[in-house]
Amino acid sequence: MKYDFKLNKVIKKIKEKNAKNVVLQFPEGLRPKAIDIAKKIESKTNVNVIISADSCYGACDVADKKYYGIVDLIVHYGHTPLPIKTKVPTIFVEAFSTLDFKDIKNLLKQAIDYIGKDKKIGLVSVAQHLPLLKKIKKYLEKKGKEVVMKKGIGTKPGQVLGCNFSSVKNLDVDTYLFIGGGNFHALGIKLATKKPVVIVDPYEGEVRNIERFAKKIMKIRFAKIIKAQKAKTWGILMSSKPGQLRQELALKLKNKLKAHGKKSFLIILDNIVPEFLQSFTGIDAFVSTACPRIAIDDSYLFKKPVLTPKELEIVLGERSWEEYELDEIIWEEGNEN
Ligand code: SF4
């Protein structure tokens, strides 16, 4: 898959800002392009380009605190910006995929067969494929479908993030059509709407629905919740990443656990990975206030249950299993959740 790195725009900004040192941040999938991009920027400017090799999973990862005093500009690739103020000037370059409509036309035909008689379609994707949605919408409409795309809180029409499904909630549609890879976003749409979700996956070149995957994940989550019901001592995980830090929520959870007679400790770290948690032998289960994907995507890596705040509510009997939802971090101008 090819992406548009908007090199001319980046070079123009570097010159405008008269930057001396710039850091480039990439999500893992785009990092193989880093050297080539750094080379091109260096050949057209006098700036020192530094490539960040730290993890970068979303716009929540913008590393301005980390690189403050080291660089005077951050170029953050692969994500749409969140309304977070940064200390270091930051440019977001979405790196839209250059995937063409004709590359997925056959998959769309299959998707229409898959969808069958359902008429009203909610069209959804992630940042990389947003420019394609207009053409896909037109195509579906020509095929007799009614297409709905709504703007979410802090997201563009039809866009979801792994922690923000506001654009798909309460839509009057029969089925959602998700354009993109992986299963996590489609799972989130399914859980946020309880409606069928068909995936057009240009990476695998296939059309599938989310049902089987959703059932498998729900089984795993159910088992983790049951196991966590025996936990007496909890670790409340907080991330120091600017867009993932939910300190207020972490404190609320501590009070909640106390009210239910459970002990808990606040634990802050940058990346929530199993090797950093296993030394906390006195903790029976964790609840994560950081990226909502960690508990779900990486659950098989953790020996002890790592739950989301909404799953903790189920453990404590404050939410029913039928009300299961993915956790979300919805950023509005200056506000979290
Ligand atoms: S919190 Fe997680 S899902 Fe949300 S933007 Fe960051 S990495 Fe993506």
Side-chain angles (χ1 to χ4, degrees), residues 48-59:
N48 299 312
V49 177
I50 303 168
I51 301 165
S52 167
D54 283 326
S55 64
C56 179
Y57 298 112

Side-chain angles (χ1 to χ4, degrees), residues 57-61 82 161-164 184 243-244 290-293 329:
Y57 298 112
C60 56
D61 253 335
L82 294 172
L161 302 175
C163 57
N164 183 340
F184 189 86
Q244 293 188 23
C291 171
R293 293 190 65 156
I329 307 180

Side-chain angles (χ1 to χ4, degrees), residues 40 81 103 327:
K40 284 181 178 147
D103 300 331
D327 179 28

Side-chain angles (χ1 to χ4, degrees), residues 101-168:
F101 174 75
K102 65 178 180 331
D103 300 331
I104 58 162
K105 197 169 170 191
N106 272 335
L107 293 178
L108 288 171
K109 272 185 198 159
Q110 286 177 43
I112 287 174
D113 290 343
Y114 216 106
I115 290 167
K117 286 189 189 130
D118 284 356
K119 190 153 174 61
K120 292 183 185 172
I121 309 296
L123 184 58
V124 194
S125 192
V126 288
Q128 272 71 41
H129 305 301
L130 290 180
L132 258 187
L133 293 189
K134 228 176 170 176
K135 277 193 181 161
I136 296 174
K137 181 173 184 279
K138 254 192 188 162
Y139 176 78
L140 293 172
E141 283 169 347
K142 261 194 196 160
K143 298 284 172 188
K145 303 291 182 194
E146 227 174 87
V147 180
V148 180
M149 278 162 60
K150 197 187 90 179
K151 204 174 166 305
I153 304 168
T155 52
K156 301 193 170 155
Q159 183 190 11
V160 288
L161 302 175
C163 57
N164 183 340
F165 296 95
S166 54
S167 67
V168 296

Side-chain angles (χ1 to χ4, degrees), residues 259-318:
H260 283 267
K262 312 272 186 193
K263 270 193 222 144
S264 69
F265 297 91
L266 298 166
I267 298 167
I268 190 160
L269 68 169
D270 199 2
N271 276 322
I272 299 175
V273 287
E275 47 276 36
F276 293 151
L277 300 191
Q278 64 201 18
S279 34
F280 293 103
T281 48
I283 303 277
D284 304 315
F286 297 91
V287 55
S288 168
T289 61
C291 171
R293 293 190 65 156
I294 296 165
I296 313 290
D297 270 357
D298 300 341
S299 76
Y300 64 99
L301 299 172
F302 297 107
K303 287 203 175 114
K304 293 176 184 169
V306 176
L307 302 190
T308 67
K310 288 181 180 173
E311 289 174 337
L312 176 66
E313 289 174 9
I314 300 178
V315 169
L316 299 177
E318 294 183 356

Side-chain angles (χ1 to χ4, degrees), residues 222-257:
F222 190 68
K224 299 273 174 196
I225 288 169
I226 296 291
K227 193 170 175 195
Q229 278 169 343
K230 296 191 190 104
K232 291 193 174 84
T233 307
W234 286 75
I236 301 170
L237 302 173
M238 298 161 62
S239 170
S240 51
K241 293 180 181 181
Q244 293 188 23
L245 178 61
R246 290 186 287 174
Q247 191 165 0
E248 213 177 290
L249 173 64
L251 295 172
K252 262 191 208 158
L253 296 179
K254 191 165 172 65
N255 286 334
K256 201 185 274 269
L257 283 161

